[in-house]
Amino acid sequence: MRPGSGAGRPPLRARSAPPAPVPARAARLVGLWPYLLIAPTVAGAGYLLLYPLLRNVVISFQHFRAGELIRGGAAFVGLENYRRVLGDPEFWEVTRRTLVWTGVNVVSIMVLGTLTALVLAALGRRMRLALMSGMVLVWAVPVLAATTVFQWLFQSRLGVVNWLLTALGLESFRGHTWFADGTSTFVILVLLVVWQSVPFVALTLYAGITTIPGELYESARIDGAGSWRLFGLVTFPILRPLFGLITSLEVIWVFKCFAQIWAVSKGGPDGATTTLPVYAFQVARSLNKYDLGAAISTLTVLMLVTLLLFHLRRLHRHEGEPP
């Protein structure tokens, strides 16, 4: 038998038969299956979030007071509610105060949260675990429970703050009433909100810092970069999208903050802590002017969306820039 003739070679395997075509209807069902799985969640979120928002917008175009709430039949009045709200100087004063409230809180939260995250990255394992555990506990405390603690801390006769200041020799703070002054009440509320928010920012940023390769820091140190230059040249450029996302979330949370303000001061004293959510609630529930309250709420949502779109647009513009 001649060599190379192929004799003695194992027979070639028969080609496998091509897979049977999937029916078009079955293919469509397979493609729809992920959407069917999330449909209950989307439907629930739409009912709990979208429906109240749309209902609020509808009420803002109606004459809706206590009588209409009981018997129904609210009449549409067009843009009359918005004209009354936008023509009220008190609305613009509350808006200005809300912007100041949001700016002070968000800047304080981001600065302190960033510094805490950097401290976490520099600590040893045991100290880092202890600090992270404390921050998780702070974050887990219910809002109203934390608010009650702050009210007790600054209580005039039995509060820890007055006791400590008096013990340090500041006798003028004996029996001092913190919540009788608008500025001090505003500051206390800022401290409360910042204290509740810093753990989220710090832990999230620390998680981002752990993903940065250590070689980048080593290269920057070899070039003579100090701690601040390391942050400006390595940490912040790499984590810029994360900083933008966290800032957006904090703007949303602080702008619509209601429970802490209402529990501590109900917007007082003399309206010094009245923000737009509190103002809308006061007008709607205290004055039974649900139509004006709905208009204020709708304008609040529009302002918040505008602020976030402006911020996200700037974030997207810088996204493609090199670090």
Side-chain angles (χ1 to χ4, degrees):
M1 186 176 295
R2 293 181 303 169
S5 62
R9 294 179 180 176
L12 297 175
R13 290 189 305 172
R15 293 183 178 178
S16 58
V22 180
R25 183 177 181 182
R28 286 195 297 269
L29 290 177
V30 172
L32 290 175
W33 184 243
Y35 300 98
L36 294 176
L37 290 176
I38 66 173
T41 302
V42 174
Y47 180 76
L48 295 175
L49 299 177
L50 188 59
Y51 172 75
L53 178 61
L54 294 177
R55 179 60 177 158
N56 185 81
V57 173
V58 171
I59 293 177
S60 69
F61 290 102
Q62 295 177 325
H63 179 81
F64 201 101
R65 303 296 172 90
E68 286 75 15
L69 178 65
I70 297 173
R71 64 175 181 268
F76 281 89
V77 294
L79 298 174
E80 178 61 28
N81 293 323
Y82 290 95
R83 293 192 189 97
R84 294 184 60 182
V85 170
L86 295 175
D88 187 358
E90 184 178 3
F91 171 78
W92 296 108
E93 176 63 23
V94 173
T95 301
R96 183 196 63 81
R97 187 182 302 114
T98 304
L99 295 176
V100 173
W101 160 265
T102 304
V104 171
N105 276 285
V106 172
V107 171
S108 303
I109 290 167
M110 294 304 299
V111 171
L112 293 177
T114 302
L115 293 175
T116 306
L118 295 175
V119 170
L120 284 173
L123 288 176
R125 182 177 179 181
R126 293 184 178 179
M127 288 299 298
R128 181 166 59 246
L129 180 61
L131 182 56
M132 292 176 67
S133 300
M135 288 192 295
V136 169
L137 291 176
V138 171
W139 193 17
V141 173
V143 172
L144 290 181
T147 303
T148 303
V149 170
F150 265 72
Q151 286 179 299
W152 172 71
L153 288 175
F154 290 92
Q155 208 269 342
S156 59
R157 297 182 61 185
L158 303 176
V160 173
V161 175
N162 282 352
W163 171 81
L164 180 61
L165 293 174
T166 304
L168 293 175
L170 302 176
E171 289 295 329
S172 60
F173 286 96
R174 185 181 299 275
H176 179 73
T177 306
W178 294 91
F179 298 107
D181 178 69
T183 302
S184 62
T185 304
F186 189 93
V187 172
I188 292 171
L189 286 169
V190 169
L191 293 175
L192 171 59
V193 173
V194 170
W195 180 75
Q196 291 176 316
S197 304
V198 164
F200 167 74
V201 175
L203 293 175
T204 306
L205 289 178
Y206 169 72
I209 291 173
T210 58
T211 65
I212 300 176
E215 295 82 0
L216 297 178
Y217 289 109
E218 292 298 330
S219 300
R221 288 192 184 97
I222 292 174
D223 292 337
S227 300
W228 290 110
R229 286 182 61 82
L230 284 176
F231 177 79
L233 295 175
V234 180
T235 306
F236 182 76
I238 294 178
L239 298 182
R240 180 182 290 165
L242 185 60
F243 274 96
L245 176 61
I246 296 174
T247 303
S248 300
L249 294 176
E250 290 301 325
V251 168
I252 294 173
W253 194 75
V254 173
F255 197 92
K256 67 183 185 64
C257 184
F258 172 81
Q260 296 92 325
I261 299 175
W262 189 258
V264 170
S265 64
K266 292 182 172 57
D270 297 327
T273 58
T274 300
T275 58
L276 283 172
V278 176
Y279 183 55
F281 185 82
Q282 290 174 339
V283 172
R285 294 299 303 272
S286 301
L287 303 179
N288 292 325
K289 297 179 179 180
Y290 303 102
D291 45 6
L292 298 181
I296 297 170
S297 300
T298 303
L299 291 172
T300 302
V301 173
L302 291 177
M303 291 180 191
L304 184 57
V305 170
T306 302
L307 288 174
L308 290 176
L309 287 178
F310 175 76
H311 174 69
L312 294 176
R313 184 178 179 182
R314 291 184 68 252
L315 181 65
H316 178 73
R317 186 184 305 135
H318 293 294
E319 187 174 352
E321 294 182 0

